[in-house]
Amino acid sequence: MSIADNIKRLKKETLPINVKLLAVSKTKPVEDVQEAYDAGQRLFGENMVQELVEKQEHLPKDIQWHLIGHLQSNKVKYIAPFISMIQSVDSLKLLQEIDKHAEKNKRVIDCLLQIYIADEETKFGLGFDEAVELLRSEEFAALKHIRIRGLMGIATNTDNEKQIKDEYYELKTFFDGIKQSFFRKDAAFDTLSMGMSSDYKVAIEQGSTMIRLGSTIFGERVIKHWKNN
Ligand SMILES: *Cc1c(COP(=O)(O)O)cnc(C)c1O
């Protein structure tokens, strides 16, 4: 199946149930992104700042780029002019930096708090308590150039479907609680980003509103630099 076929098939699957499709194009060349774009895809995700910046320069300006990888504070300035959503916010300090650069660019930047749900030390994200503490803080209340649109989580990389299901269930439950406690009157808090190629069906069953698919759309990633593909 071609990239275009994959986009069309996945749109058919997700549109009727109101789940957004983020095409994760990391390591893939601009030609592949263009093919997905030509098939109607507009939401794309990248995990590296430099790769993201270079790709967006070469691709149509109406693409909505999401950053889904760990973001260092000193790199926020490179993406602040154009980024559509930062899904990987994992500290107050980072959020403050995003706010600062959003203001400089006279914008409000949409963000998701990345929540740590996996049983793996290597994954980034806020714990449940840390997320609540952040949202309660005066420092957070002072930020005027970011908008929290919801939460993002990455499940454990395992074949154990029950474990993945439990992790997504917990995140959905937490999402509902956070919405009740902090965003009850805020219709913009509407995004629960969970689900990748290996587990997106489980994620949708558990209440995902946005799935992030790479290999299902673009094929397996070879571990080469994206420009030399
Ligand atoms: C790479 C990546 C994805 C997509 O992974 P696939 O398994 O190729 O679908 C989704 N989310 C994040 C955070 C990623 O880094």
Side-chain angles (χ1 to χ4, degrees):
M1 287 249 255
S2 70
I3 292 169
D5 288 338
N6 291 334
I7 293 290
K8 285 176 193 150
R9 175 174 53 83
L10 288 161
K11 287 258 184 226
K12 254 189 216 143
E13 207 174 316
T14 52
L15 267 176
I17 53 173
N18 237 338
V19 171
K20 288 190 177 155
L21 174 64
L22 184 76
V24 177
S25 49
K26 64 190 185 194
T27 78
K28 299 295 179 181
V30 290
E31 293 76 18
D32 288 11
V33 181
Q34 186 68 50
E35 184 178 341
Y37 177 91
D38 292 339
Q41 180 66 22
R42 291 296 179 273
L43 294 182
F44 289 89
E46 288 282 339
N47 67 338
M48 308 275 277
V49 167
Q50 195 192 342
E51 183 174 342
L52 169 58
V53 169
E54 292 186 30
K55 276 182 184 166
Q56 74 88 30
E57 283 169 5
H58 291 100
L59 285 154
K61 295 302 167 228
D62 64 336
I63 287 181
Q64 295 168 43
W65 292 102
H66 289 208
L67 187 78
I68 58 171
H70 181 64
L71 177 58
Q72 288 170 288
S73 294
N74 61 357
K75 294 198 174 158
V76 173
K77 58 178 178 284
Y78 301 117
I79 59 171
F82 68 88
I83 197 78
S84 172
M85 187 183 280
I86 298 173
Q87 297 204 5
S88 42
V89 173
D90 57 5
S91 72
L92 176 63
K93 178 172 161 268
L94 176 59
L95 207 50
Q96 288 170 320
E97 197 66 16
I98 296 168
D99 186 80
K100 186 174 101 189
H101 288 283
E103 182 170 16
K104 273 189 194 159
N105 285 276
K106 302 190 168 62
R107 333 179 32 211
V108 172
I109 296 180
D110 282 348
C111 295
L112 302 180
L113 298 180
Q114 181 175 351
I115 306 297
Y116 180 89
I117 52 169
D119 194 12
E120 284 168 41
E121 301 267 315
T122 51
K123 297 262 159 51
F124 290 97
L126 295 156
F128 293 139
D129 294 349
E130 288 174 310
V132 169
E133 192 184 325
L134 185 157
L135 292 169
R136 275 198 188 131
S137 68
E138 283 172 25
E139 291 93 335
F140 171 71
L143 305 179
K144 300 296 176 223
H145 295 84
I146 52 100
R147 180 167 68 161
I148 301 293
R149 296 291 309 271
L151 308 178
M152 185 269 263
I154 306 173
T156 304
N157 185 9
T158 172
D159 292 335
N160 183 344
E161 197 173 303
K162 166 88 168 62
Q163 181 175 352
I164 295 169
K165 186 177 157 195
D166 289 349
E167 288 172 1
Y168 284 151
Y169 175 82
E170 267 195 64
L171 184 57
K172 163 69 169 155
T173 305
F174 185 65
F175 175 84
D176 290 342
I178 290 290
K179 179 151 181 73
Q180 269 302 313
S181 310
F182 297 97
F183 299 96
R184 210 172 335 151
K185 293 182 189 130
D186 184 354
F189 189 89
D190 62 359
T191 305
L192 180 56
S193 170
M194 55 185 203
M196 310 175 33
S197 290
S198 57
D199 61 20
Y200 75 91
K201 292 197 169 130
V202 181
I204 289 172
E205 278 168 21
Q206 295 306 316
S208 170
T209 72
M210 186 185 290
I211 54 175
R212 309 178 307 269
L213 302 190
S215 46
T216 300
I217 296 171
F218 297 106
E220 291 301 318
R221 281 180 296 277
V222 277
I223 310 168
K224 269 198 275 180
H225 192 263
W226 64 281
K227 280 192 205 165
N228 305 323
N229 270 345

PDB file of all heavy atoms in Angstrom, residues 47-53 67 70-82 86 94 97-98 101:
ATOM      1  N   ASN A  47       9.802  14.492  16.017  1.00  0.00           N
ATOM      2  CA  ASN A  47      10.309  14.459  17.389  1.00  0.00           C
ATOM      3  C   ASN A  47      11.646  15.180  17.581  1.00  0.00           C
ATOM      4  O   ASN A  47      12.098  15.307  18.704  1.00  0.00           O
ATOM      5  CB  ASN A  47      10.380  13.010  17.904  1.00  0.00           C
ATOM      6  CG  ASN A  47      11.417  12.190  17.183  1.00  0.00           C
ATOM      7  OD1 ASN A  47      11.798  12.533  16.058  1.00  0.00           O
ATOM      8  ND2 ASN A  47      11.875  11.124  17.801  1.00  0.00           N
ATOM      9  N   MET A  48      12.250  15.649  16.479  1.00  0.00           N
ATOM     10  CA  MET A  48      13.516  16.369  16.602  1.00  0.00           C
ATOM     11  C   MET A  48      13.369  17.779  16.046  1.00  0.00           C
ATOM     12  O   MET A  48      12.870  17.965  14.930  1.00  0.00           O
ATOM     13  CB  MET A  48      14.615  15.659  15.812  1.00  0.00           C
ATOM     14  CG  MET A  48      14.758  14.193  16.132  1.00  0.00           C
ATOM     15  SD  MET A  48      15.797  13.904  17.549  1.00  0.00           S
ATOM     16  CE  MET A  48      17.382  13.988  16.759  1.00  0.00           C
ATOM     17  N   VAL A  49      13.870  18.761  16.807  1.00  0.00           N
ATOM     18  CA  VAL A  49      13.676  20.158  16.433  1.00  0.00           C
ATOM     19  C   VAL A  49      14.322  20.487  15.090  1.00  0.00           C
ATOM     20  O   VAL A  49      13.689  21.081  14.215  1.00  0.00           O
ATOM     21  CB  VAL A  49      14.199  21.097  17.541  1.00  0.00           C
ATOM     22  CG1 VAL A  49      14.302  22.535  17.052  1.00  0.00           C
ATOM     23  CG2 VAL A  49      13.276  21.026  18.754  1.00  0.00           C
ATOM     24  N   GLN A  50      15.564  20.085  14.913  1.00  0.00           N
ATOM     25  CA  GLN A  50      16.258  20.473  13.677  1.00  0.00           C
ATOM     26  C   GLN A  50      15.591  19.877  12.438  1.00  0.00           C
ATOM     27  O   GLN A  50      15.393  20.547  11.423  1.00  0.00           O
ATOM     28  CB  GLN A  50      17.720  20.037  13.741  1.00  0.00           C
ATOM     29  CG  GLN A  50      18.548  20.741  12.674  1.00  0.00           C
ATOM     30  CD  GLN A  50      19.922  20.124  12.502  1.00  0.00           C
ATOM     31  OE1 GLN A  50      20.410  19.405  13.366  1.00  0.00           O
ATOM     32  NE2 GLN A  50      20.552  20.417  11.376  1.00  0.00           N
ATOM     33  N   GLU A  51      15.231  18.619  12.542  1.00  0.00           N
ATOM     34  CA  GLU A  51      14.559  17.946  11.424  1.00  0.00           C
ATOM     35  C   GLU A  51      13.221  18.618  11.117  1.00  0.00           C
ATOM     36  O   GLU A  51      12.867  18.850   9.959  1.00  0.00           O
ATOM     37  CB  GLU A  51      14.363  16.471  11.799  1.00  0.00           C
ATOM     38  CG  GLU A  51      13.750  15.625  10.699  1.00  0.00           C
ATOM     39  CD  GLU A  51      13.708  14.138  11.069  1.00  0.00           C
ATOM     40  OE1 GLU A  51      14.441  13.715  11.990  1.00  0.00           O
ATOM     41  OE2 GLU A  51      12.939  13.410  10.425  1.00  0.00           O
ATOM     42  N   LEU A  52      12.509  18.958  12.151  1.00  0.00           N
ATOM     43  CA  LEU A  52      11.219  19.633  12.003  1.00  0.00           C
ATOM     44  C   LEU A  52      11.372  20.972  11.296  1.00  0.00           C
ATOM     45  O   LEU A  52      10.655  21.288  10.339  1.00  0.00           O
ATOM     46  CB  LEU A  52      10.596  19.819  13.396  1.00  0.00           C
ATOM     47  CG  LEU A  52       9.369  20.713  13.531  1.00  0.00           C
ATOM     48  CD1 LEU A  52       8.230  20.224  12.657  1.00  0.00           C
ATOM     49  CD2 LEU A  52       8.927  20.756  14.989  1.00  0.00           C
ATOM     50  N   VAL A  53      12.335  21.771  11.753  1.00  0.00           N
ATOM     51  CA  VAL A  53      12.541  23.108  11.190  1.00  0.00           C
ATOM     52  C   VAL A  53      12.908  23.009   9.707  1.00  0.00           C
ATOM     53  O   VAL A  53      12.359  23.725   8.861  1.00  0.00           O
ATOM     54  CB  VAL A  53      13.635  23.865  11.971  1.00  0.00           C
ATOM     55  CG1 VAL A  53      14.052  25.136  11.253  1.00  0.00           C
ATOM     56  CG2 VAL A  53      13.142  24.190  13.382  1.00  0.00           C
ATOM     57  N   LEU A  67       5.096  18.996  17.659  1.00  0.00           N
ATOM     58  CA  LEU A  67       6.314  18.407  18.205  1.00  0.00           C
ATOM     59  C   LEU A  67       5.905  17.336  19.219  1.00  0.00           C
ATOM     60  O   LEU A  67       5.118  17.609  20.129  1.00  0.00           O
ATOM     61  CB  LEU A  67       7.209  19.445  18.877  1.00  0.00           C
ATOM     62  CG  LEU A  67       8.545  18.808  19.286  1.00  0.00           C
ATOM     63  CD1 LEU A  67       9.470  18.660  18.081  1.00  0.00           C
ATOM     64  CD2 LEU A  67       9.233  19.584  20.379  1.00  0.00           C
ATOM     65  N   HIS A  70      10.936  14.947  23.118  1.00  0.00           N
ATOM     66  CA  HIS A  70      11.433  15.751  24.236  1.00  0.00           C
ATOM     67  C   HIS A  70      12.024  17.068  23.724  1.00  0.00           C
ATOM     68  O   HIS A  70      12.787  17.081  22.759  1.00  0.00           O
ATOM     69  CB  HIS A  70      12.499  14.960  25.004  1.00  0.00           C
ATOM     70  CG  HIS A  70      13.037  15.697  26.175  1.00  0.00           C
ATOM     71  ND1 HIS A  70      12.251  16.042  27.242  1.00  0.00           N
ATOM     72  CD2 HIS A  70      14.270  16.185  26.439  1.00  0.00           C
ATOM     73  CE1 HIS A  70      12.984  16.695  28.121  1.00  0.00           C
ATOM     74  NE2 HIS A  70      14.212  16.801  27.664  1.00  0.00           N
ATOM     75  N   LEU A  71      11.649  18.159  24.362  1.00  0.00           N
ATOM     76  CA  LEU A  71      12.069  19.491  23.915  1.00  0.00           C
ATOM     77  C   LEU A  71      12.947  20.129  24.981  1.00  0.00           C
ATOM     78  O   LEU A  71      12.549  20.265  26.138  1.00  0.00           O
ATOM     79  CB  LEU A  71      10.824  20.357  23.650  1.00  0.00           C
ATOM     80  CG  LEU A  71      11.040  21.810  23.248  1.00  0.00           C
ATOM     81  CD1 LEU A  71      11.879  21.928  21.972  1.00  0.00           C
ATOM     82  CD2 LEU A  71       9.689  22.513  23.054  1.00  0.00           C
ATOM     83  N   GLN A  72      14.135  20.543  24.555  1.00  0.00           N
ATOM     84  CA  GLN A  72      15.018  21.272  25.469  1.00  0.00           C
ATOM     85  C   GLN A  72      14.651  22.749  25.427  1.00  0.00           C
ATOM     86  O   GLN A  72      14.392  23.292  24.345  1.00  0.00           O
ATOM     87  CB  GLN A  72      16.475  21.107  25.041  1.00  0.00           C
ATOM     88  CG  GLN A  72      17.031  19.732  25.297  1.00  0.00           C
ATOM     89  CD  GLN A  72      18.386  19.559  24.629  1.00  0.00           C
ATOM     90  OE1 GLN A  72      18.474  19.457  23.406  1.00  0.00           O
ATOM     91  NE2 GLN A  72      19.425  19.548  25.430  1.00  0.00           N
ATOM     92  N   SER A  73      14.686  23.391  26.578  1.00  0.00           N
ATOM     93  CA  SER A  73      14.271  24.792  26.671  1.00  0.00           C
ATOM     94  C   SER A  73      15.001  25.691  25.671  1.00  0.00           C
ATOM     95  O   SER A  73      14.400  26.589  25.090  1.00  0.00           O
ATOM     96  CB  SER A  73      14.518  25.315  28.082  1.00  0.00           C
ATOM     97  OG  SER A  73      13.671  24.652  28.986  1.00  0.00           O
ATOM     98  N   ASN A  74      16.291  25.425  25.473  1.00  0.00           N
ATOM     99  CA  ASN A  74      17.062  26.316  24.594  1.00  0.00           C
ATOM    100  C   ASN A  74      16.728  26.143  23.110  1.00  0.00           C
ATOM    101  O   ASN A  74      17.244  26.866  22.264  1.00  0.00           O
ATOM    102  CB  ASN A  74      18.568  26.136  24.834  1.00  0.00           C
ATOM    103  CG  ASN A  74      19.043  24.716  24.529  1.00  0.00           C
ATOM    104  OD1 ASN A  74      18.236  23.847  24.181  1.00  0.00           O
ATOM    105  ND2 ASN A  74      20.326  24.486  24.662  1.00  0.00           N
ATOM    106  N   LYS A  75      15.848  25.202  22.785  1.00  0.00           N
ATOM    107  CA  LYS A  75      15.474  25.014  21.379  1.00  0.00           C
ATOM    108  C   LYS A  75      14.068  25.524  21.051  1.00  0.00           C
ATOM    109  O   LYS A  75      13.643  25.493  19.890  1.00  0.00           O
ATOM    110  CB  LYS A  75      15.582  23.537  21.004  1.00  0.00           C
ATOM    111  CG  LYS A  75      17.015  23.051  21.060  1.00  0.00           C
ATOM    112  CD  LYS A  75      17.222  21.778  20.300  1.00  0.00           C
ATOM    113  CE  LYS A  75      18.711  21.432  20.272  1.00  0.00           C
ATOM    114  NZ  LYS A  75      18.930  19.998  20.009  1.00  0.00           N
ATOM    115  N   VAL A  76      13.370  26.004  22.060  1.00  0.00           N
ATOM    116  CA  VAL A  76      11.994  26.464  21.837  1.00  0.00           C
ATOM    117  C   VAL A  76      11.952  27.566  20.787  1.00  0.00           C
ATOM    118  O   VAL A  76      11.048  27.628  19.952  1.00  0.00           O
ATOM    119  CB  VAL A  76      11.370  26.958  23.164  1.00  0.00           C
ATOM    120  CG1 VAL A  76      10.007  27.585  22.921  1.00  0.00           C
ATOM    121  CG2 VAL A  76      11.256  25.814  24.165  1.00  0.00           C
ATOM    122  N   LYS A  77      12.961  28.431  20.814  1.00  0.00           N
ATOM    123  CA  LYS A  77      12.960  29.593  19.919  1.00  0.00           C
ATOM    124  C   LYS A  77      12.910  29.207  18.437  1.00  0.00           C
ATOM    125  O   LYS A  77      12.369  29.949  17.629  1.00  0.00           O
ATOM    126  CB  LYS A  77      14.165  30.488  20.181  1.00  0.00           C
ATOM    127  CG  LYS A  77      15.525  29.821  20.046  1.00  0.00           C
ATOM    128  CD  LYS A  77      16.634  30.866  20.292  1.00  0.00           C
ATOM    129  CE  LYS A  77      18.025  30.284  20.231  1.00  0.00           C
ATOM    130  NZ  LYS A  77      18.378  29.520  21.445  1.00  0.00           N
ATOM    131  N   TYR A  78      13.430  28.047  18.085  1.00  0.00           N
ATOM    132  CA  TYR A  78      13.461  27.654  16.667  1.00  0.00           C
ATOM    133  C   TYR A  78      12.083  27.272  16.128  1.00  0.00           C
ATOM    134  O   TYR A  78      11.824  27.386  14.938  1.00  0.00           O
ATOM    135  CB  TYR A  78      14.436  26.491  16.453  1.00  0.00           C
ATOM    136  CG  TYR A  78      15.848  26.807  16.866  1.00  0.00           C
ATOM    137  CD1 TYR A  78      16.464  26.117  17.895  1.00  0.00           C
ATOM    138  CD2 TYR A  78      16.555  27.827  16.223  1.00  0.00           C
ATOM    139  CE1 TYR A  78      17.758  26.420  18.289  1.00  0.00           C
ATOM    140  CE2 TYR A  78      17.852  28.140  16.613  1.00  0.00           C
ATOM    141  CZ  TYR A  78      18.443  27.424  17.655  1.00  0.00           C
ATOM    142  OH  TYR A  78      19.719  27.731  18.041  1.00  0.00           O
ATOM    143  N   ILE A  79      11.226  26.767  17.011  1.00  0.00           N
ATOM    144  CA  ILE A  79       9.919  26.305  16.525  1.00  0.00           C
ATOM    145  C   ILE A  79       8.774  27.257  16.870  1.00  0.00           C
ATOM    146  O   ILE A  79       7.696  27.164  16.290  1.00  0.00           O
ATOM    147  CB  ILE A  79       9.590  24.879  17.047  1.00  0.00           C
ATOM    148  CG1 ILE A  79       9.575  24.835  18.573  1.00  0.00           C
ATOM    149  CG2 ILE A  79      10.596  23.868  16.481  1.00  0.00           C
ATOM    150  CD1 ILE A  79       9.051  23.512  19.136  1.00  0.00           C
ATOM    151  N   ALA A  80       9.046  28.186  17.803  1.00  0.00           N
ATOM    152  CA  ALA A  80       7.972  29.075  18.285  1.00  0.00           C
ATOM    153  C   ALA A  80       7.260  29.856  17.173  1.00  0.00           C
ATOM    154  O   ALA A  80       6.055  30.095  17.275  1.00  0.00           O
ATOM    155  CB  ALA A  80       8.522  30.035  19.335  1.00  0.00           C
ATOM    156  N   PRO A  81       7.956  30.251  16.086  1.00  0.00           N
ATOM    157  CA  PRO A  81       7.249  31.030  15.063  1.00  0.00           C
ATOM    158  C   PRO A  81       6.146  30.262  14.330  1.00  0.00           C
ATOM    159  O   PRO A  81       5.228  30.877  13.820  1.00  0.00           O
ATOM    160  CB  PRO A  81       8.365  31.416  14.076  1.00  0.00           C
ATOM    161  CG  PRO A  81       9.637  31.309  14.848  1.00  0.00           C
ATOM    162  CD  PRO A  81       9.404  30.185  15.816  1.00  0.00           C
ATOM    163  N   PHE A  82       6.257  28.944  14.248  1.00  0.00           N
ATOM    164  CA  PHE A  82       5.321  28.229  13.369  1.00  0.00           C
ATOM    165  C   PHE A  82       4.635  27.012  13.989  1.00  0.00           C
ATOM    166  O   PHE A  82       3.670  26.499  13.423  1.00  0.00           O
ATOM    167  CB  PHE A  82       6.065  27.763  12.097  1.00  0.00           C
ATOM    168  CG  PHE A  82       7.084  26.684  12.353  1.00  0.00           C
ATOM    169  CD1 PHE A  82       6.713  25.341  12.337  1.00  0.00           C
ATOM    170  CD2 PHE A  82       8.419  27.000  12.641  1.00  0.00           C
ATOM    171  CE1 PHE A  82       7.637  24.341  12.587  1.00  0.00           C
ATOM    172  CE2 PHE A  82       9.351  25.995  12.892  1.00  0.00           C
ATOM    173  CZ  PHE A  82       8.957  24.675  12.861  1.00  0.00           C
ATOM    174  N   ILE A  86       2.678  21.738  20.757  1.00  0.00           N
ATOM    175  CA  ILE A  86       3.783  21.030  21.406  1.00  0.00           C
ATOM    176  C   ILE A  86       3.160  20.008  22.351  1.00  0.00           C
ATOM    177  O   ILE A  86       2.515  20.370  23.330  1.00  0.00           O
ATOM    178  CB  ILE A  86       4.712  22.003  22.160  1.00  0.00           C
ATOM    179  CG1 ILE A  86       5.333  22.997  21.171  1.00  0.00           C
ATOM    180  CG2 ILE A  86       5.804  21.229  22.914  1.00  0.00           C
ATOM    181  CD1 ILE A  86       6.152  24.119  21.817  1.00  0.00           C
ATOM    182  N   LEU A  94       9.812  24.429  31.096  1.00  0.00           N
ATOM    183  CA  LEU A  94       9.646  24.380  29.639  1.00  0.00           C
ATOM    184  C   LEU A  94       8.422  25.183  29.210  1.00  0.00           C
ATOM    185  O   LEU A  94       8.465  25.942  28.235  1.00  0.00           O
ATOM    186  CB  LEU A  94       9.520  22.922  29.176  1.00  0.00           C
ATOM    187  CG  LEU A  94       9.248  22.712  27.686  1.00  0.00           C
ATOM    188  CD1 LEU A  94      10.359  23.318  26.824  1.00  0.00           C
ATOM    189  CD2 LEU A  94       9.095  21.222  27.374  1.00  0.00           C
ATOM    190  N   GLU A  97       9.194  28.787  29.193  1.00  0.00           N
ATOM    191  CA  GLU A  97      10.030  29.136  28.033  1.00  0.00           C
ATOM    192  C   GLU A  97       9.182  29.219  26.758  1.00  0.00           C
ATOM    193  O   GLU A  97       9.360  30.121  25.934  1.00  0.00           O
ATOM    194  CB  GLU A  97      11.118  28.058  27.890  1.00  0.00           C
ATOM    195  CG  GLU A  97      12.281  28.444  27.017  1.00  0.00           C
ATOM    196  CD  GLU A  97      13.130  29.583  27.568  1.00  0.00           C
ATOM    197  OE1 GLU A  97      13.029  29.909  28.768  1.00  0.00           O
ATOM    198  OE2 GLU A  97      13.893  30.153  26.759  1.00  0.00           O
ATOM    199  N   ILE A  98       8.246  28.295  26.611  1.00  0.00           N
ATOM    200  CA  ILE A  98       7.340  28.324  25.450  1.00  0.00           C
ATOM    201  C   ILE A  98       6.507  29.608  25.487  1.00  0.00           C
ATOM    202  O   ILE A  98       6.353  30.298  24.478  1.00  0.00           O
ATOM    203  CB  ILE A  98       6.421  27.080  25.437  1.00  0.00           C
ATOM    204  CG1 ILE A  98       7.252  25.798  25.257  1.00  0.00           C
ATOM    205  CG2 ILE A  98       5.378  27.196  24.323  1.00  0.00           C
ATOM    206  CD1 ILE A  98       6.474  24.506  25.515  1.00  0.00           C
ATOM    207  N   HIS A 101       8.586  32.655  24.366  1.00  0.00           N
ATOM    208  CA  HIS A 101       8.834  32.746  22.922  1.00  0.00           C
ATOM    209  C   HIS A 101       7.539  32.917  22.130  1.00  0.00           C
ATOM    210  O   HIS A 101       7.540  33.517  21.060  1.00  0.00           O
ATOM    211  CB  HIS A 101       9.634  31.546  22.441  1.00  0.00           C
ATOM    212  CG  HIS A 101      11.061  31.608  22.889  1.00  0.00           C
ATOM    213  ND1 HIS A 101      11.989  32.421  22.281  1.00  0.00           N
ATOM    214  CD2 HIS A 101      11.693  31.016  23.927  1.00  0.00           C
ATOM    215  CE1 HIS A 101      13.153  32.302  22.915  1.00  0.00           C
ATOM    216  NE2 HIS A 101      12.997  31.459  23.915  1.00  0.00           N
TER     217      HIS A 101
END
